[in-house]
């Protein structure tokens, strides 16, 4: 037998998860079963747990009441493999992500994972907690800066220090990873955080820091020596900077492919509601969906077209991460520059509710991790 943390009622996970016993799963032909060493927490777990049934249905999640084991990020050791699995063996040390909409998450001692899921071998020397903390946040900022931002993971030496990014929320789990990835990519970084986190983001390599509690973020960002930005990466949400996109975003005829505002949250500001691309589908954010559409037209409409500016605007995307094994294979190289993973706190498995209390506070600095087994 083994155990799992799961919930069956809507609400904040710090109050709703309960520990239950369950058999160790047997892998299906295309699955591996992982003995979980660590699981990291992300705001999405609470957002799913508080979604109405209509949204759960839309996302492919079971209706509330069906036992749901939360968490996406994991590190662990492969315990058993299905008959059809060729690339993994029992005993492999792995880490990655379960895109967990079905309730078979990583906050349990043994989890069955599709062999095709985005997980890879753990680099030697990376601790279990650091490995679990990386995938979702790294995958998100990689998707934003490289897939959408069209910046190079390995920049040409001549480009190092030439481009800049603005990261909103530099002390967050995603923002701190975003600063580290941007520095690895040779970018100048301007970031926002509250005053107490200034030294933290500077240590990660931020070149300029804006205290969002004291300063006017848009004005400071617009007048920075590093403006305009190849990417504005929003890890906070809201619309404060939207009126300034024309001036904030790089418009370089030599590199017309660059210049985008990428938000991983969207116009919403509450932490409990689902964010990212899903908000483009919801009727209460039509202006966000139209902004994204107009941003896409920027790529397709020729510059000479009369009335172009009425149709197209600066590129804008409200995104979901699109993780892959190939993306996570780059983590070993990322860590050579990043050196350490920013961990807010590590909690014992028995204290998983306290780990959720921490992430629900909205004040975590870096990642919140649960050590599932020693
Ligand atoms: N679309 C996607 O694929 C995707 C993927 C990952 C995450 N997300 C979303 O991205 C958001 C961030 O996730 P996360 O894991 O990074 O969150 P997190 O680590 O829990 O965020 C907490 C941090 O945010 C900072 N913060 C709060 N308000 C801020 C503001 N107005 N300006 C600057 N910093 C602020 C806090 O710093 P202070 O204490 O200094 O305020 C704290 O360090 C969540 O909404 C999450 O759902 C989306």
């Amino acid at each position: 037998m083994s155990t799992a943390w799961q919930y069956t009622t809507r609400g904040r996970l710090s109050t709703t998860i309960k520990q239950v016993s369950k058999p160790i799963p047997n892998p299906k032909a295309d699955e591996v079963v992982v003995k979980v060493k660590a699981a990291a927490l992300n705001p999405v777990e609470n957002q799913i747990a508080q979604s109405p049934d209509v949204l759960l249905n839309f996302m492919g999640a079971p209706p509330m009441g069906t036992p749901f084991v939360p968490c996406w990020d994991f590190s662990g050791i492969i315990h058993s493999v299905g008959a059809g699995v060729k690339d993994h063996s029992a005993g492999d040390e792995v880490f990655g992500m379960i895109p967990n909409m079905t309730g078979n998450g990583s906050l349990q001692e043994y989890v069955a994972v599709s062999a095709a899921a985005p997980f890879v071998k753990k680099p030697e020397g990376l601790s279990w907690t650091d490995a679990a903390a990386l995938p979702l946040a790294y995958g998100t900022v990689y998707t934003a800066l490289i897939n959408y931002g069209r910046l190079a993971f390995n920049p040409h030496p001549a480009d190092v220090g030439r481009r800049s990014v603005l990261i909103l929320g530099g002390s967050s789990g995603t923002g701190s990873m975003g600063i580290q990835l941007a520095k690895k990519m040779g970018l100048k970084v301007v970031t926002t955080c509250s005053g107490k986190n200034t030294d933290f983001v500077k240590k990660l390599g931020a070149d300029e820091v804006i205290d969002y509690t004291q300063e006017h973020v848009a004005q400071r960002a617009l007048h920075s020596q590093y403006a305009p930005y190849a990417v504005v990466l929003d890890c906070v949400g809201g619309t404060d900077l939207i009126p300034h996109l024309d001036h904030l975003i790089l418009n370089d005829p030599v590199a017309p492919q660059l210049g985008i505002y990428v938000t991983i949250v969207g116009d919403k500001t509450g932490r409990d509601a689902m964010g990212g691309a899903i908000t483009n589908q919801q009727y209460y954010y039509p202006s966000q969906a139209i902004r994204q559409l107009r941003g896409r037209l920027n790529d397709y409409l020729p510059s000479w077209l009369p009335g172009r500016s009425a149709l197209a605007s600066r590129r804008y995307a409200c995104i979901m991460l699109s993780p892959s094994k190939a993306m996570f294979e780059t983590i070993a190289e990322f860590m050579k520059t990043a050196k350490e993973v920013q961990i807010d706190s590590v909690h014992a498995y028995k204290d998983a509710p306290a780990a959720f209390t921490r992430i629900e506070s909205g004040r975590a600095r870096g990642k919140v991790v649960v050590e599932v087994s020693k």
Side-chain angles (χ1 to χ4, degrees):
M1 289 299 275
S2 69
T3 67
W5 283 96
Q6 68 179 36
Y7 62 91
T8 52
T9 52
R10 192 166 276 112
R12 290 198 163 168
L13 295 176
S14 57
T15 59
T16 58
I17 54 169
K18 305 262 180 290
Q19 201 173 334
V20 296
S21 293
K22 56 185 286 195
I24 297 174
N26 286 316
K28 293 187 190 135
D30 59 347
E31 286 181 341
V32 302
V33 170
V34 176
K35 179 173 168 46
V36 180
K37 299 294 282 185
L41 273 49
N42 293 283
V44 69
E45 278 102 37
N46 259 299
Q47 294 163 359
I48 294 171
Q50 290 173 88
S51 291
D53 273 344
V54 62
L55 188 54
L56 292 176
N57 185 34
F58 180 74
M59 296 185 300
M64 187 55 65
T66 314
F68 197 106
V69 178
C71 292
W72 298 35
D73 284 322
F74 71 92
S75 62
I77 301 173
I78 294 186
H79 169 74
S80 53
V81 297
V85 176
K86 300 279 172 270
D87 298 339
H88 301 282
S89 315
D92 284 356
E93 298 187 350
V94 293
F95 76 116
M97 225 187 90
I98 307 162
N100 176 24
M101 286 298 176
T102 58
N104 180 41
S106 57
L107 198 56
Q108 52 185 327
E109 288 175 298
Y110 291 87
V111 64
V113 186
S114 162
F119 71 88
V120 294
K121 283 205 175 139
K122 182 173 79 65
E124 246 175 62
L126 193 64
S127 72
W128 294 114
T129 45
D130 285 359
L134 277 155
L136 192 144
Y138 180 82
T140 303
V141 297
Y142 188 106
T143 304
L145 295 178
I146 295 171
N147 298 7
Y148 282 84
R150 302 173 180 165
L151 291 161
F153 182 71
N154 287 312
H156 188 281
D159 284 339
V160 171
R162 275 187 64 209
R163 305 283 183 208
S164 62
V165 294
L166 169 64
I167 298 180
L168 306 177
S171 61
S172 64
T174 47
S176 57
M177 206 78 79
I179 297 174
Q180 290 176 295
L181 180 57
K183 294 315 292 181
K184 186 260 170 283
M185 294 162 64
L187 299 159
K188 295 289 182 190
V189 176
V190 178
T191 193
T192 64
C193 66
S194 62
K196 66 178 186 298
N197 289 324
T198 301
D199 289 345
F200 172 76
V201 296
K202 278 194 174 156
K203 216 180 94 201
L204 298 180
D207 297 281
E208 191 172 323
V209 183
I210 304 171
D211 178 351
Y212 77 89
T213 65
Q214 302 293 324
E215 301 173 272
H216 192 285
V217 172
Q219 290 312 319
R220 270 289 311 275
L222 282 165
H223 293 107
S224 162
Q225 60 172 312
Y226 301 113
Y229 307 94
V231 177
V232 178
L233 167 55
D234 168 26
C235 303
V236 176
T239 53
D240 292 354
L241 265 54
I242 300 299
H244 307 285
L245 297 192
D246 279 346
H247 300 289
L248 276 175
I249 296 174
L250 184 71
N251 192 2
D252 183 350
V254 179
Q257 78 282 8
L258 298 181
I260 186 168
Y261 184 103
V262 187
T263 177
I264 63 171
V265 181
D267 288 6
K268 65 132 194 158
T269 49
R271 278 178 68 81
D272 287 341
M274 284 295 290
I278 200 154
T279 56
N280 286 328
Q281 323 288 337
Q282 289 176 4
Y283 62 89
Y284 46 89
Y285 291 112
S287 57
Q288 178 186 300
I290 292 167
R291 199 182 306 134
Q292 179 144 329
L293 184 64
R294 293 185 66 210
R296 290 198 71 176
L297 289 177
N298 199 28
D299 274 345
Y300 297 110
L301 298 182
S303 54
W304 48 262
L305 189 77
R308 184 185 193 279
S309 60
L311 294 170
S313 63
R314 302 316 311 279
R315 286 175 63 228
Y316 167 96
C318 180
I319 67 157
M320 282 300 182
L321 80 157
S322 58
S324 64
K325 286 184 190 286
M327 188 184 276
F328 292 158
E329 293 287 6
T330 65
I331 284 180
E333 191 181 339
F334 163 71
M335 286 307 298
K336 285 183 194 155
T337 328
K339 303 275 189 266
E340 63 180 307
V341 184
Q342 301 311 310
I343 307 278
D344 173 83
S345 46
V346 179
H347 303 256
Y349 184 59
K350 68 176 175 45
D351 298 328
F356 279 108
T357 302
R358 179 62 184 153
I359 197 148
E360 288 161 14
S361 75
R363 301 275 81 83
R365 195 165 76 170
K367 299 294 301 180
V368 177
V369 183
V370 173
E371 204 172 45
V372 176
S373 62
K374 289 278 185 196

